Amino acid sequence: MVDISTDYIYQVRLTTHISAVIGSLTHALFTNRVNARGYSVNHPSVQERIEKKRQAALTGGGQLRIAAQHKRGKLTARERLELLLDPDSFVEYDMFVEHRCSDFGMEADHNKYPGDSVVTGQGRINGRLVYVFSQDFTVFGGSLSGAHAQKICKIMDQAMMVGAPVIGLNDSGGARIQEGVESLAGYADIFLRNVMSSGVVPQISLIMGPCAGGAVYSPALTDFTFMVKDTSYLFITGPDVVKSVTNEDVSQEELGGAKTHTTVSGVAHRAFENDVDALLNLRDFFNFLPLSNKDPAPVTECHDPRDRLVPGLDTVVPFESTKAYDMLDIVHGVLDEREFFEIMPNYAKNIVVGFARMNGRTVGIVGNQPKVASGCLDINSSVKGARFVRFCDAFNIPIITFVDVPGFLPGTAQEYGGIIRHGAKLLYAFAEATVPKITVITRKAYGGAYDVMSSKHLRGDVNYAWPSAEVAVMGAKGAVQIIFRGKENQAEAEAEYVEKFANPFPAAVRGFVDDIIQPSTTRKRICRDLEVLASKKQTNPWKKHANIPL
Amino acid sequence: MAAYRSAAGFQRVLHAVKHVCLSKQRCGVIICRYSTVYDPTEKTFDKILIANRGEIACRVIKTCKKMGIKTVAVHSDVDSSAVHVKMADEAVCVGPAPTNKSYLNMDAIMNAIKQTGAQAVHPGYGFLSENKEFAKRLAAEGVSFIGPDTHAIQAMGDKIESKLIAKAAKVNTIPGYDGVVKDAEEAVKIAGEIGYPVMIKASAGGGGKGMRIAWNDEETREGFRFSSQEAASSFGDDRLLIEKFIDNPRHIEIQVLADKHGNALWLNERECSIQRRNQKVVEEAPSTFLDPDTRRAMGEQAVSLAKAVKYSSAGTVEFLVDSKKNFYFLEMNTRLQVEHPITECITGLDLVQQMIRIAMGYKLQHKQSDIPINGWAIESRVYAEDPYKSFGLPSIGRLSQYQEPLDLHNVRVDSGIEEGSDISIYYDPMISKLVTYGKTREEALKKMEEALDNYVIRGVTHNIPLLREIIVHPRFVSGDISTKFLPEVYPDGFKGHMLTAGERRELLATAAALYVAAQLRSQKFLGDLRVSVVPAESRQWELCVELDKGLHMLGVSRSGNNYTVEIDGEKVEVSGEWNLASALLPLTINGKHRTLQCLLRTAAGEITLQYLGTSFKLRVLSKLAASLSKHMPEKVPEDTSSILRSPMPGSVVAVSVKPGDNVAEGQEICVIEAMKMQNSMTAAKAAKVKSVHCKAGDTVGEGDLLVELE
């Protein structure tokens, strides 16, 4: 056999241009070797075949299909990787893998595409290692064959061993029907790896085309699912099947478009305008993440002074406790450079979650949003918050919680929907988290929701109250109606209750908050605490795994 | 009251702590050093209540502090943590947000006076400053009103009466109808007699409110309707009068100061010709237009009018001056004017101090010969307004970042807000008065450029783009201005700074350099145990920058903090600190010092820069990303001609259509009132009304859908 170092395969560059250069280099090297060792005459044809296959792999489904892909407003699998990764950093695996189906004429040569319908490998984003796969819609509509799945599994396995995140760019029509159970097995192999990798390395899915049927469960198992507006959709069954089964008329966009999943279902965490926008944002997002659960949260160079006072925070909470304000004003004010990568900004807006930096260090932000539904906790916001908190805990990202919560949302809709078990998820997530936890009570912290929101009792490391904080079982009116039921002078009793409980003192005298701080100093205090807590070590008792109330 | 937090007391303590740093921060701010001395032995009031809010309340409190007088602030509930409240020694809440329930609520203010034992009231401008009822009630309670007496307020407050008095005092007046106009038809008749153009204005008016100019009968009718509505809502008095409209005049006013002993002085003029909708935008003192003789003539007439009404305190006599330097009496404002700081800058007098002394009954300290013109002062009124919509429609919001250019010399900022303050629909949208001073006009103007570039305002739309353009416009710089300056210079509306080819290159180069600086930083990870492979920096970054739909290929090379950007064969050198967290971006571009501001920088390469006052949206992409962008689908923006959205936050006064109506292009659809201004919203095309989404009395936000057409 030809003695071509495997390095060559690994070093194949993305662009056809560069690859052509390398190709000719290989050729030159090879020719020399032939002369020196006197190999037989059929070798040049092997070399040609390699070159031919490589070219074929680089063009995927061919120019016509590439043009069609562009016409849909989508980039090709390789263009996407080129944009996502640092220049010249992509190292491709399995470019020569082909599908193994021999039914329905699939065995014919013209139905074989080197690399099949997915491009896999590893590369760098701002210098940091990442494993990637990018499904190629131009080859059999990006459908998943056994070979396709095997390629993905290979990089996922290596990502786990090395400890580096996996980013999947999904653009696939679904299972390779010609392959039958082989394809289904492929999905399951990926699912298993998604689950095994969960909490070990960050996994991100960017849906850039169709993703339907069983395929949706891989993104669903990953940590973050992002979508591209207008050109991507996710659903279990498409509109045609929906029509035949339930007689519902629904468009692809309505059923599983970016808007649906980022506002109604909560399946996707964010949507971007187009492929370019999505990939550039993904690069930015990647910088927040540690490489694995063994790595610390990254720290980048920070130009924002760590001890900066934020005078605007002193007036942000209105005097009337019934009046709303925007929690994002507080969040933006405190963070480095007001930069906040919000997760699920349009879903369950009564809670705000996302990534940011404090003095350069990645932190996870959780905040009740008084502007929406008074910032109450309901089913959706509990689940949204819980999943985010668990991600942060799994990946060593400190959690900063801003509390202004009037309680859990009452009503039959919530009770029938299971607010008890869903609310328990957020409670569970905060309680089990061992990363540094800093909590700031800006205003209301009422009832059970006070306990839930990273309270001291759930091992909050540093808990602050602003002077406007009110920690109590409930608001004055409700409390007085219960305590003084049927009695007169309710107004007087209410005033007494307000005097006693609608302030930070009851919590402060018991040590349930560590200090009452001037709001404008919040950033300074948090930055200082994060430095102290950087070496925090806390472990939970040994267990096979915990049993979060799912 | 149960809704109010009991923690308010605690909050108050914190405010007191804050107050200390606040005053420290604001000391040394006032650049125009007052030449008048504050004599600590001169007896004065112990405590003054300031019946106003915002910058003017803060301004008065500052002088009171210097004079050792205790201060009481009044405030509405939404203003309870406002700057003027923090600065004052005491504060009293006088009611809810709407002005007629708080700052115009005489009962509540009288109570506040009793409660605090204030001996005098400074009314500031607006609100109750020219309200004779208020002055009377104060007099009845034995509380001094820091301003003229009731008689002068009444005489000068009524435009009809004031004109008669002025005529009698031998002050030049404008030809017109000396009486109240009954209805629109009478207005048309009188207008015909005087001859067009005519001005219809509220008898009780001021500040441009309730004022309309009409060039024909139809406009007279429409103007009459608007003016009477506005007058009613602003002043509670819908009487109107009509006079000859002096076309293309300058607006020049004389500051006067008179005591209770019959002495009066004129403190030179202020040129306030740069106006939009009869509201002043940029003022200066002195005027480039007046010669010493005209100045003296105007000053003497102003003083003779003041004496004729036995005026005491500070006041302003406004004149219209035509191109031949004929001047006509317009009105007398019996209060401290918004633009008083520029007079203070050139004369050295502290007008508030003078007003307080006069109210105490002291004689004037100065003689006319003591009043100098030292240097030049310019004032820019910085408003929370969108200057791209009829030179300024109100905008509201929270000042998420706010930084006044106070580290510059010869800059004075009179403001009553701070970072975190809300600009609400209830009050005047003025953010501050930015005053610069110089030995010469040129120096003051240069300083103004610098100050505007260094002024950081985020969270609300502001008019700095317009101010920055006005002060560098050749006509303004040469002094060739009139009250029609804005509509003449920008006949199609203000469109922001028009970039020259060189400026365009500077802007593109800055965006590219900023992009590279940010890219390089995003590759720097500190203390990471696992080595990241930072790609060797390319010697030349090839970037594509988009500006106004134009694409530019740029080559950027870097050496330390210095960037060389090549654009179309031309080189631009940009250097600076590149602090990516700072609101200001002080740079040296091709050897010139420039301060830009980065308003937005996203992961997808969008960069918005404020350059020469105007904000420009750019997009910087790598060559690769730019080439791939061509495949991205165009997103179709919504067709706006069939949709009527509220251009500003405000309330709906009237809706004149219902679904199914046919409307003509330009036909009035509804009227929105904001900050006491009524705005007629018209159809952009002839169409049938599809749906109406608002009704009279609704509060609407900027961009809210009002009416849809088919």
Side-chain angles (χ1 to χ4, degrees), chain B residues 205-264:
Chain B
K209 279 167 189 161
M211 201 181 270
R212 285 287 190 289
I213 294 151
W215 295 78
N216 54 46
D217 292 358
E218 196 182 320
E219 285 180 15
T220 308
R221 284 188 199 102
E222 195 187 328
F224 185 88
R225 187 161 60 86
F226 268 110
S227 291
S228 59
Q229 275 171 14
E230 252 179 47
S233 83
S234 296
F235 316 110
D237 176 352
D238 64 358
R239 289 179 304 146
L240 299 180
L241 61 119
I242 294 187
E243 66 190 15
K244 171 101 184 150
F245 173 62
I246 311 271
D247 194 15
N248 226 7
R250 282 170 178 258
H251 177 119
I252 299 177
E253 60 192 26
I254 301 285
Q255 175 74 52
V256 296
L257 202 57
D259 64 19
K260 292 180 173 173
H261 307 275
N263 304 309

Side-chain angles (χ1 to χ4, degrees), chain B residues 416-438:
Chain B
I417 44 99
E418 60 187 349
E419 191 169 301
S421 293
D422 261 316
I423 308 283
S424 71
I425 57 165
Y426 301 110
Y427 310 114
D428 189 80
M430 189 161 78
I431 295 172
S432 79
K433 301 183 305 202
L434 176 62
V435 180
T436 61
Y437 176 79

Side-chain angles (χ1 to χ4, degrees), chain A residues 243-503:
Chain A
K243 174 79 181 165
S244 68
V245 176
T246 68
N247 208 27
E248 256 181 299
D249 270 314
V250 64
S251 69
Q252 275 191 348
E253 186 60 29
E254 276 174 280
L255 185 62
K259 193 166 177 201
T260 300
H261 287 312
T262 52
T263 59
V264 182
S265 72
V267 166
H269 295 88
R270 237 176 118 153
F272 300 103
E273 287 307 315
N274 55 48
D275 280 15
V276 172
D277 187 46
L279 293 162
L280 293 176
N281 270 289
L282 194 49
R283 280 179 66 83
D284 188 49
F285 175 67
F286 189 77
N287 263 14
F288 287 105
L289 307 179
L291 294 181
S292 75
N293 61 348
K294 302 248 171 63
D295 292 284
V299 184
T300 56
E301 186 179 285
C302 172
H303 295 172
D304 203 352
R306 54 196 273 282
D307 55 355
R308 173 171 58 87
L309 292 179
V310 193
L313 298 190
D314 286 336
T315 53
V316 69
V317 177
F319 274 103
E320 303 91 332
S321 65
T322 49
K323 214 172 145 193
Y325 62 94
D326 190 351
M327 186 55 88
L328 285 174
D329 285 339
I330 298 178
V331 171
H332 288 148
V334 167
L335 303 176
D336 286 0
E337 298 173 24
R338 311 178 61 79
E339 204 182 311
F340 184 46
F341 192 97
E342 196 173 346
I343 297 294
M344 303 176 105
N346 296 314
Y347 177 80
K349 295 202 272 192
N350 41 344
I351 200 164
V352 170
V353 301
F355 296 100
R357 296 187 181 86
M358 295 288 281
N359 199 21
R361 186 188 309 271
T362 298
V363 292
I365 302 289
V366 180
N368 307 112
Q369 174 58 284
K371 218 174 73 168
V372 181
S374 305
C376 71
L377 289 176
D378 57 7
I379 294 172
N380 291 346
S381 61
S382 300
V383 173
K384 171 179 167 182
R387 181 148 177 83
F388 180 76
V389 167
R390 295 194 97 211
F391 176 84
C392 292
D393 186 44
F395 291 102
N396 313 316
I397 298 171
I399 300 164
I400 298 166
T401 310
F402 293 95
V403 184
D404 186 347
V405 64
F408 282 96
L409 183 64
T412 49
Q414 290 290 311
E415 295 292 358
Y416 295 175
I419 180 69
I420 296 174
R421 63 195 169 87
H422 294 297
K425 291 174 186 173
L426 184 58
L427 170 60
Y428 193 107
F430 271 124
E432 81 174 330
T434 55
V435 289
K437 291 188 280 193
I438 299 171
T439 307
V440 181
I441 301 175
T442 60
R443 191 166 65 178
K444 287 173 220 166
Y446 286 172
Y450 152 74
D451 285 338
V452 171
M453 294 304 295
S454 196
S455 64
K456 199 77 195 163
H457 323 288
L458 301 183
R459 303 190 292 185
D461 295 301
V462 184
N463 293 54
Y464 292 121
W466 282 7
S468 44
E470 310 168 13
V471 185
V473 174
M474 58 174 73
K477 204 164 195 139
V480 167
Q481 276 167 7
I482 294 166
I483 304 173
F484 301 99
R485 193 186 298 263
K487 298 219 177 101
E488 282 168 28
N489 292 339
Q490 297 254 329
E492 203 177 293
E494 206 176 307
E496 190 191 339
Y497 186 92
V498 166
E499 178 65 30
K500 276 214 173 96
F501 293 118
N503 61 59

Side-chain angles (χ1 to χ4, degrees), chain B residues 52 108 132 428 458 468 476 582 685:
Chain B
N52 214 306
K132 54 183 190 287
D428 189 80
R458 303 277 197 283
R468 182 69 170 71
F476 181 83
S582 163
K685 62 175 186 188

